[in-house]
Amino acid sequence: MPKFTDRLIGSLKVASGRKDRLVFDTACPGLGIRVTAKGTRSFLAQWTDPATRRKIREPIGVWGSITIEQAREAVRARLGAVAKGVDPRAERIRRREAAERELAETALTFDALIDEWQTLHLAHRRPRYAAEAAAAIRRGVPELLKRPAARISRTEAVNALDQIVKAGKVVTAGRTMAYARACFAWGKRRGKVPDNPFADLPISAGTTERERVLTDAEIADVWAASDTLPYPFGPFYKLATLTLQRREEVAGMRWPEIAPDLSRWTIPGSRMKNGKPHDVHLSEAARHVLRSIPRVDGCDLVFTTTAGRLSAASEPNGNRRHEPSPISGFSQGKRYLDAAIGKVRKENASKAGRKCKTMTPWRVHDLRRTGVTTLAALGFDSIVVDKLLAHQPAKLRGVAAVYQRHDFARERAAALDAWAGHVTGTATENVIPLRITR
């Protein structure tokens, strides 16, 4: 074997009929050069694996891009590593993979992880929940959005949430933590992040007070006040009270979801929190409210303020109609209702010759808790009440949830009829009429 020189390497030829030729350097054991039939000349290193006694060859570089002396130094370094028990090729593969992981981690920021979570996972959840979850994280911890998701530490998560708590937004901190924890849990299951920095944090869940149950007198005030409000909020609050369904579910009610005889309302899974269709019995009081609502041609929505609204079209020929949308502006609607309740209370106090008291702050969601509490007092089983609210009954978890498939439709209907009787003060069998005492 000759000593490598540039003149020698340039003169190397491949025999006719062969694809390449391998020549080794006498000045540096382990350094070889491969010459191909196309004229390419590439340096390589060769050594014997101490464990398997197999020869290992690894490319070093193309002659011309590196010099002979650089190739020799590279080979000596590799053989030195082998003498120390290190596999140079395996080490380089490890470093390359580490570099690729580093690049991938840098590219997947927390903001990008939220995008993927929203697109791949939250797409199967209710649209409102999906939008709220992603937006809540971005509003709550904006300082973490550009950080590589895999590098966000537990300490950084705690510090970011502490800033929200210090601003007096304990509830917001709890919700942000819950959404971020869910996002990272999804990412960890998918192998996108190694850990969940938002799991098991010493941050308060920030839950709001959920103990408010309206008294019978307050229920009567809500019902009377709703009766004074025009469409859409007057009938909306009445149906929300009578059906005990969530605000968004009632607001999105459509006429095709309601049976022709107005006896049943079937909410599609796409609008339910649990993603499953839900049948709601409509009491006579609820049917009476529905009969009072005028239907708009070409609009399926029961509650809307945009049906028939026109806007200038981009086309040169006239106008086009907006797609009707469910009612919104719930904060303003609640203010209308609270103002109406104030008037009802003032009138009742004036008739009774006493001082008017302001109603204790409450939320529309409290109606569901009030209905549940009242139905329990009226003797209805918790399974029936949970089914009525589209909750998983506590009594039917685990094995029982697998085998118990009865939908309790008759019992749920009886419960909602009883609740309607309680609200409206109509005496029905086994129902205590609403008594207003002031």
Side-chain angles (χ1 to χ4, degrees), residues 259-438:
D261 62 355
L262 306 183
S263 64
R264 186 181 68 259
W265 169 31
T266 301
I267 310 175
S270 60
R271 293 202 295 106
M272 289 298 296
K273 187 175 183 179
N274 61 9
K276 300 177 181 179
H278 181 52
D279 284 339
V280 181
H281 168 73
L282 296 174
S283 62
E284 179 53 42
R287 294 196 289 271
H288 179 73
V289 174
L290 286 171
R291 293 190 194 101
S292 71
I293 299 175
R295 298 187 62 166
V296 179
D297 290 340
C299 179
D300 289 339
L301 291 165
V302 176
F303 299 108
T304 181
T305 57
T306 59
R309 185 179 296 175
L310 298 177
S311 67
S314 57
E315 297 85 359
N317 300 325
N319 299 323
R320 60 181 176 84
R321 290 185 181 275
H322 277 300
E323 183 68 25
S325 59
I327 60 171
S328 55
F330 298 112
S331 296
Q332 183 60 51
K334 180 61 162 49
R335 284 193 286 271
Y336 292 151
L337 180 58
D338 286 337
I341 290 173
K343 290 180 180 179
V344 168
R345 288 198 151 209
K346 187 175 181 180
E347 290 173 1
N348 290 335
S350 178
K351 292 177 182 178
R354 56 177 174 74
K355 185 178 179 181
C356 177
K357 293 184 179 180
T358 303
M359 185 169 173
T360 303
W362 67 290
R363 299 168 55 192
V364 175
H365 196 78
D366 295 334
L367 292 171
R368 281 165 62 86
R369 188 178 309 103
T370 302
V372 168
T373 303
T374 301
L375 289 174
L378 294 176
F380 287 91
D381 192 279
S382 63
I383 294 179
V384 175
V385 176
D386 284 336
K387 288 278 190 179
L388 188 152
L389 298 180
H391 287 170
Q392 175 59 41
K395 292 181 179 180
L396 296 182
R397 290 178 182 168
V399 176
V402 176
Y403 292 98
Q404 173 57 274
R405 295 299 182 185
H406 181 50
D407 64 1
F408 294 88
R410 188 182 64 224
E411 294 85 350
R412 284 188 287 151
L416 281 176
D417 283 338
W419 169 243
H422 188 84
V423 171
T424 61
T426 302
T428 59
E429 186 176 359
N430 296 324
V431 177
I432 302 173
L434 178 67
R435 294 187 179 88
I436 305 176
T437 57
R438 303 189 185 277

Side-chain angles (χ1 to χ4, degrees), residues 109-160:
T109 63
F110 189 13
D111 198 41
L113 179 64
I114 295 171
D115 277 337
E116 292 193 14
W117 180 53
Q118 190 171 17
T119 302
L120 300 176
H121 179 68
L122 296 184
H124 306 294
R125 302 293 298 273
R126 289 182 301 132
R128 184 174 179 273
Y129 174 84
E132 177 186 341
I137 299 174
R138 290 189 170 106
R139 285 195 307 268
V141 289
E143 65 274 26
L144 298 180
L145 296 180
K146 299 305 179 184
R147 293 270 292 121
R151 298 182 188 174
I152 295 177
S153 67
R154 176 184 174 88
T155 300
E156 288 177 301
V158 170
N159 290 341

Side-chain angles (χ1 to χ4, degrees), residues 171-213:
V171 173
T172 300
R175 288 176 179 170
T176 302
M177 177 180 66
Y179 289 136
R181 182 176 59 226
C183 178
F184 266 94
W186 174 85
K188 185 177 179 181
R189 289 194 300 271
R190 305 273 295 203
K192 296 179 179 294
V193 291
D195 296 300
N196 188 342
F198 287 90
D200 302 319
L201 295 185
I203 303 293
S204 169
T207 55
T208 55
E209 181 63 38
R210 294 190 174 184
E211 301 297 331
R212 182 80 162 92
V213 174

